């Protein structure tokens, strides 16, 4: 089927979810590839097709319409469809560096979605995935060691983007990363994506519960640091 964008994103979103819920993996991946061949934007496919489907899976699970095993299966299909975007050859910009991680398994798909979107926009993405197993007092040293290996040009900005389903997760990673910022300087920027209470104060350069906000902010920081 031939698609015309931007008009067909809505149509593709319903087809993607329908194929996904039926567990028809081959159709899910074919649809994504078909959209890319028809000139769809990776960012739009992520924000208008895949993220609404992630939310739909969660609702189906919360409503008791699917069980734990089926939820995991559908999440894995979504994850594999996001990997298609990462296979697109892109000339990445050595000045656009970002580390993406999630504080819990629940937020991992969002971190994967962000990584795929950023990759398609020419970022050098270092995706760590679910880092809940690394929540301990040594995390800041561990991350600092990694940054010593991957962040060659300390004169360029390095953004660290954290997704979390809980305030505790955001708090822990913010505190650890802020201690690294104190040692390595202002070239490190911290963005947090998750829900927090109105009275909660977490020290970061950006705190938003909107997926699109953190991506847009990252681009703005990259532009302003040139």
């Amino acid at each position: 089927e031939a698609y015309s964008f931007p008009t067909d994103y809505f149509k593709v979103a319903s087809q993607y979810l329908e194929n996904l819920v039926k567990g028809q993996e081959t159709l899910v991946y074919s649809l994504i590839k078909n959209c890319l061949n028809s000139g769809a934007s990776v960012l739009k496919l992520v924000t208008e097709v895949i993220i609404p489907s992630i939310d739909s899976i969660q609702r189906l699970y919360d409503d008791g319409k699917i069980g734990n095993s089926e939820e995991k299966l559908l999440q894995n299909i979504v994850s594999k469809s996001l990997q298609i975007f990462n296979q697109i050859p892109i000339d990445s910009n050595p000045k656009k560096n970002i580390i993406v991680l999630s504080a819990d398994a629940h937020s991992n798909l969002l971190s994967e979605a962000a990584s795929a979107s950023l990759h398609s926009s020419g970022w050098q993405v270092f995706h760590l995935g679910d880092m809940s197993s690394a929540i301990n007092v040594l995390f800041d040293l561990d991350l600092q060691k990694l940054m010593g290996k991957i962040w060659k040009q300390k004169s360029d900005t390095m953004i660290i983007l954290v997704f979390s389903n809980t305030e505790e997760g955001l708090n822990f990673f913010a505190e650890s990363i802020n201690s690294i910022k104190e040692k390595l300087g202002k070239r490190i920027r911290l963005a947090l994506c998750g829900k927090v209470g109105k009275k909660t104060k977490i020290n970061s350069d950006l705190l938003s519960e909107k997926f699109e906000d953190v991506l847009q902010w990252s681009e703005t920081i990259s532009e302003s640091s040139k």
Side-chain angles (χ1 to χ4, degrees), residues 30-43:
S30 298
L31 178 62
I32 292 294
K33 288 172 183 170
N34 195 351
C35 290
L36 290 171
N37 291 334
S38 301
S41 135
V42 170
L43 179 60

Side-chain angles (χ1 to χ4, degrees), residues 35-209:
C35 290
L36 290 171
N37 291 334
S38 301
S41 135
V42 170
L43 179 60
K44 286 279 190 190
L45 287 174
V46 167
T47 55
E48 299 194 18
V49 176
I50 291 182
I51 287 185
S53 295
I54 295 171
D55 294 338
S56 296
I57 294 170
Q58 187 60 51
R59 276 197 301 275
L60 288 170
Y61 179 73
D62 291 343
D63 294 345
K65 291 179 179 170
I66 60 172
N68 215 312
S69 304
E70 192 173 352
E71 181 196 26
K72 285 283 178 285
L73 173 67
L74 301 186
Q75 286 173 340
N76 282 333
I77 296 173
V78 172
S79 178
K80 284 192 237 172
S81 57
L82 285 165
Q83 291 311 315
I84 294 168
F85 302 136
N86 288 321
Q87 287 157 15
I88 302 168
I90 298 283
D91 287 330
S92 58
N93 183 340
K95 291 184 179 297
K96 294 171 82 172
N97 296 286
I98 191 162
I99 293 170
V100 184
L101 63 94
S102 65
D104 48 74
H106 190 278
S107 311
N108 198 36
L109 274 183
L110 286 179
S111 76
E112 286 185 34
S115 296
S117 304
L118 290 158
H119 166 77
S120 73
S121 303
W123 285 80
Q124 292 201 100
V125 182
F126 305 97
H127 181 241
L128 309 187
D130 174 12
M131 290 296 287
S132 55
S133 62
I135 294 181
N136 60 52
V137 290
L138 298 174
F139 174 72
D140 54 339
L141 297 173
D142 182 59
L143 184 61
Q144 203 173 322
K145 195 173 170 185
L146 171 70
M147 289 171 74
K149 290 182 179 177
I150 62 175
W151 188 30
K152 302 301 181 193
Q153 289 297 115
K154 299 290 188 286
S155 57
D156 297 330
T157 301
M158 168 66 85
I159 295 174
I160 303 175
L161 171 54
V162 179
F163 288 88
S164 179
N165 194 40
T166 65
E167 282 186 18
E168 292 78 19
L170 291 175
N171 249 320
F172 170 80
F173 285 101
E175 281 178 17
S176 298
I177 292 158
N178 282 322
S179 75
I180 297 173
K181 281 176 79 173
E182 283 171 23
K183 295 170 197 165
L184 300 185
K186 292 178 180 173
R187 284 284 172 189
I188 299 171
R189 298 299 190 92
L190 171 61
L192 304 174
C193 189
K195 251 186 191 163
V196 296
K198 286 181 180 173
K199 292 180 181 174
T200 306
K201 288 276 184 287
I202 303 178
N203 184 15
S204 63
D205 296 294
L206 175 78
L207 172 57
S208 174
E209 59 182 86

